[in-house]
């Protein structure tokens, strides 16, 4: 009887100890800033200096897409730093929650390529609010064994090819997918949808696309798996997916469409009133460090914002990844993603075509 | 002097007097006792249900202008809802899908509940726990599991290919309305099985014996005795599955493909990247009203059916 009591007592004590242990772990996590950004950027290898200095990673939350991220921050989500891309900085800034960045606290600020620092929106009211980190493309990856004919005529047209009806996939996003319909519909400016006639033209093209695609998704893994299994022959992806698919040894090629691939630059911004400002700067410094930038080139296949990292990577590898030491070569060759004008109308149109209208 | 203090003491002793008063009121009024008893639930319902619905209705009367709310009260969002084809169409489609899900779930759940109630003699508890087993994993995982089963290289397709029944994987089983119905019907199965089980379990077995004694066969006994007596469970199950699935948005997003979107996706889109909260609130309010209406129609139909049969 007594021993039973003792046993259950010990069990309760053990449970309490576990609960305490959990709560201290939770408290420790609270000591780190929260990074709110694109999925995949929670890899500790991107922040070796931070992990070394603080003995652990900061907290991370991924957004579904950047537009959703803006709304979440605006409605009071408490992140400490963010990962906006060039075409969206102004919108992030309009929430009134971006803090000016003290560049004297960023060790590698002078090593960042000057052309990237000057990107539209990066400086607001005379102060930088955005630190360029990486750049890359949005284009189509396709299986060279399943759609070999496209090797000689690389084009976004593959998404609309009747032959591959139900065998293509695309991003569930305005900036990475819907604007391509605008481009292919031949409207005067694929970033401007303030004219209802342009929206209508894009809608026709989009309706065709909805009939073509197997699914829309923003999740790189979902898109990669569909390509890998042969469920789809072509899909819109970012460079990182192609790098990973090639590592699996799959016969895939990243298109350089005759209409141009889309290009973008992403970077870090700090949220006003962060309680972990020192650690946020530590994280930014860790991400700009040479080691981190080299890792990103190798693993994600993205271009990075510091010249020193490029100089440290074999130029054969760079050309294999489709990169160049001079980012302007790539950024100017493609279609540079810009802020979408008339975004509301475009989103409404996207919802409508998905509903079958 | 002494008398005065006594009076003062009497008048100035609110704790005792108050306590006494409350006690008397308690004894005298039954409604007070009842309200006190339900007050924790009542307060929770007001704070967590009534207040948010109030906020939602209020929000739906504002409009979005850029990043700010325009706080002039207007029915503009409701006009947009009925002015644009997409909203009524998708809401109607969601109600149809959920009705189909509820029907399929109840149809599949009934035999199982019947089996446990009438044919399982021992370890009934184990059976019931086994039914809730899928609920031990996350909802999201269950949806993903269906993606694996129905997928291009999934269990169904690779199974059929191995058997030599098909050469190319079937593509029509994932990313459409059917996939949404299958996934939801599985995910909500326990919500249908348990209420039906409870109402079947409660049926007095002597009634069934009586039906047999009076010469009814097994089919007629089921139709005229068992089924009518288990109707409360069937109705509860239908409502428990129908109401929450109308607003579901994760399942259509993951397995619905391009054509399986539901009203929940539009609400999410309005609150998310559409950045139009008042519109989202209006869609939510209208869906709530329509679901209520659909439930009333259903209950009315059941009542009418009962009268017809009686």
């Amino acid at each position: 009887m007594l021993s039973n009591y003792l046993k259950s007592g010990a069990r309760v004590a053990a449970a309490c100890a576990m609960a305490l242990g959990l709560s201290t772990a939770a408290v420790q996590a609270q000591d780190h800033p929260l990074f709110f950004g694109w999925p995949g950027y929670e890899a500790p290898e991107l922040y070796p200096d931070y992990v070394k200095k603080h003995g652990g990673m900061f907290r991370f939350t991924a957004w579904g897409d950047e537009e959703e991220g803006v709304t979440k921050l605006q409605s009071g989500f408490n992140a400490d730093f963010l990962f906006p891309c060039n075409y969206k900085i102004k919108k992030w800034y309009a929430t009134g929650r971006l803090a000016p960045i003290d560049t004297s606290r960023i060790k590698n600020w002078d090593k960042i390529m000057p052309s990237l620092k000057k990107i539209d929106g990066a400086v607001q009211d005379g102060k930088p609010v955005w630190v360029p980190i990486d750049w890359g493309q949005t284009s189509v990856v396709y299986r060279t064994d399943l759609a070999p004919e496209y090797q000689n005529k690389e084009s976004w047209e593959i998404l609309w090819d009747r032959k591959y009806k139900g065998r293509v996939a695309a991003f569930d996003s305005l900036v990475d997918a819907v604007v391509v319909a605008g481009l292919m519909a031949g409207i005067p400016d694929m970033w401007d949808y303030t004219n209802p006639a342009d929206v209508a033209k894009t809608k026709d093209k989009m309706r065709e696309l909805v009939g073509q695609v197997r699914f829309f998704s923003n999740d790189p893994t979902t898109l990669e798996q569909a390509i890998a299994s042969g469920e789809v022959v072509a899909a819109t992806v970012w460079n990182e997916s192609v790098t990973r698919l090639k590592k699996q040894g799959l016969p895939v090629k990243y298109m350089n469409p005759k209409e141009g691939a889309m290009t973008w630059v992403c970077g870090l911004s700090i949220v006003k009133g962060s309680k972990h400002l020192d650690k946020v700067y530590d994280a930014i410094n860790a991400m700009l460090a040479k080691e981190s930038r080299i890792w990103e080139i190798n693993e994600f296949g993205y271009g990075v914002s510091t010249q020193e990292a490029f100089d440290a990577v074999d130029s054969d590898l760079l050309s294999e990844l489709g990169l160049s030491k001079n980012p302007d070569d790539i950024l100017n060759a493609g279609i540079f993603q810009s802020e979408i004008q008339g975004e509301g109308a475009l989103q409404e149109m996207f919802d409508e075509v998905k509903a079958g209208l | 002097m002494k008398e005065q203090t006594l009076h003062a003491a009497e008048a100035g002793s609110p704790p005792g007097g108050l306590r006494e008063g409350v006690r008397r009121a308690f004894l005298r009024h039954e409604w007070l006792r009842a309200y006190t008893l339900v007050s924790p639930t009542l307060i929770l319902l007001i704070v967590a249900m009534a207040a948010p619905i109030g906020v939602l209705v209020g929000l739906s009367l504002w409009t979005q202008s850029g990043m700010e709310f325009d706080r002039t009260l207007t029915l503009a969002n409701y006009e947009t809802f009925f002015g644009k084809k997409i909203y009524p169409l998708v809401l109607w489609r969601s109600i149809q899908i959920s009705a189909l899900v509820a029907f399929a779930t109840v149809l599949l759940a009934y035999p199982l509940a019947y089996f446990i109630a009438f044919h399982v003699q021992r370890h009934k508890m184990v059976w019931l726990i086994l039914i809730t087993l899928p609920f031990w994993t996350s909802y999201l995982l269950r949806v993903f599991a269906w993606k694996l089963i129905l997928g291009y290289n999934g269990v169904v397709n690779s199974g059929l290919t191995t058997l030599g029944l098909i050469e190319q994987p079937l593509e029509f089983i994932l990313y459409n309305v059917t996939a949404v119905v299958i996934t939801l019907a599985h995910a909500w199965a326990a919500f249908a099985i348990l209420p039906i089980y409870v109402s079947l379990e409660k049926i007095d077995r002597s009634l069934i014996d009586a039906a047999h004694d009076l010469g009814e066969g097994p089919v007629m006994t089921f139709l005229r005795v068992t089924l009518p007596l288990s109707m409360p469970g069937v109705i509860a199950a239908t409502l428990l599955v129908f109401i929450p699935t109308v607003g579901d948005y994760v399942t259509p997003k993951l397995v619905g493909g391009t054509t399986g979107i539901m009203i929940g996706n539009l609400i999410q889109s309005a609150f998310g990247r559409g950045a139009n909260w008042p519109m989202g609130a209006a869609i939510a309010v209208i869906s709530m009203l329509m679901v209520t209406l659909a439930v009333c129609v259903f209950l009315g139909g059941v009542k009418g059916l009962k009268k017809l049969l009686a």
Side-chain angles (χ1 to χ4, degrees), chain A residues 65 67-68 70-71 74-75 91-92 94-95 165-167 172-174 209-211 213-216 218 222 228-232 344 347-348 350-357, chain B residues 64 66-68 80 84-87 89-90 93 144 147 150-153 168 170-175 253 257-261 265-266 268-275 277:
Chain A
D65 72 11
E67 193 57 46
E68 228 169 78
V70 176
T71 320
Q74 192 189 353
S75 58
K91 198 144 188 197
W92 283 104
T95 62
K165 189 174 162 64
R167 303 288 303 275
D172 189 8
S173 144
L174 298 183
L209 186 64
V210 167
V213 299
R214 184 126 173 85
F215 58 83
F216 290 108
N218 285 326
T222 306
S229 67
E231 179 173 14
V232 302
Q347 177 62 45
E348 219 167 79
F350 192 26
D351 281 338
E352 279 177 13
V353 288
K354 277 199 273 188
L357 285 169
Chain B
Q64 186 90 31
M67 291 246 164
E68 305 291 324
T80 315
K84 288 219 157 108
K85 263 196 220 152
I86 176 168
Y87 300 114
L89 178 88
V90 174
R93 189 190 291 165
F144 267 107
K147 247 181 126 164
L150 301 173
Y152 186 76
N153 281 357
Q168 281 291 313
L170 304 171
E171 286 177 13
F172 62 87
I173 49 177
L174 186 60
Y175 298 127
K253 192 153 194 164
T258 49
T259 51
I261 74 162
N265 302 87
L266 292 183
Q268 189 230 1
S269 172
F271 275 96
R273 51 192 181 186
W277 286 26

Side-chain angles (χ1 to χ4, degrees), chain B residues 163-222:
Chain B
L163 289 173
L165 292 171
I166 49 169
E167 283 181 10
Q168 281 291 313
L170 304 171
E171 286 177 13
F172 62 87
I173 49 177
L174 186 60
Y175 298 127
N176 52 32
V177 177
T178 323
V180 175
V181 173
I182 295 175
T183 309
L184 285 175
H186 168 250
W188 292 86
F191 286 92
I193 297 171
L194 294 177
I196 297 175
Y197 163 77
V198 170
S199 63
L200 283 171
E201 183 68 23
K202 272 197 324 202
I203 295 176
D204 189 345
R205 300 299 190 266
S206 55
L207 291 173
I208 296 167
D209 291 340
H212 287 310
D213 290 346
L214 293 171
E216 291 281 35
V219 177
M220 285 317 278
T221 311
F222 173 76

Side-chain angles (χ1 to χ4, degrees), chain A residues 286-347:
Chain A
M287 205 178 188
L288 278 173
K290 198 170 160 187
E291 198 187 334
S292 159
R293 296 301 77 215
I294 294 174
W295 191 85
E296 184 162 347
I297 296 176
N298 283 322
E299 296 300 316
F300 287 179
Y302 286 136
V304 297
S305 59
T306 58
Q307 196 68 53
E308 58 169 8
F310 273 111
D311 294 340
V313 175
D314 189 42
S315 54
D316 286 347
L317 176 73
L318 287 185
S319 59
E320 195 194 311
L321 290 169
L323 295 175
S324 159
K325 285 190 186 182
N326 183 2
D328 296 338
D329 283 354
I330 305 271
L331 296 178
N332 296 336
I335 304 164
F336 195 55
Q337 288 185 335
S338 329
E339 195 182 357
I340 298 172
Q341 307 296 323
E343 208 170 20
L346 200 63
Q347 177 62 45

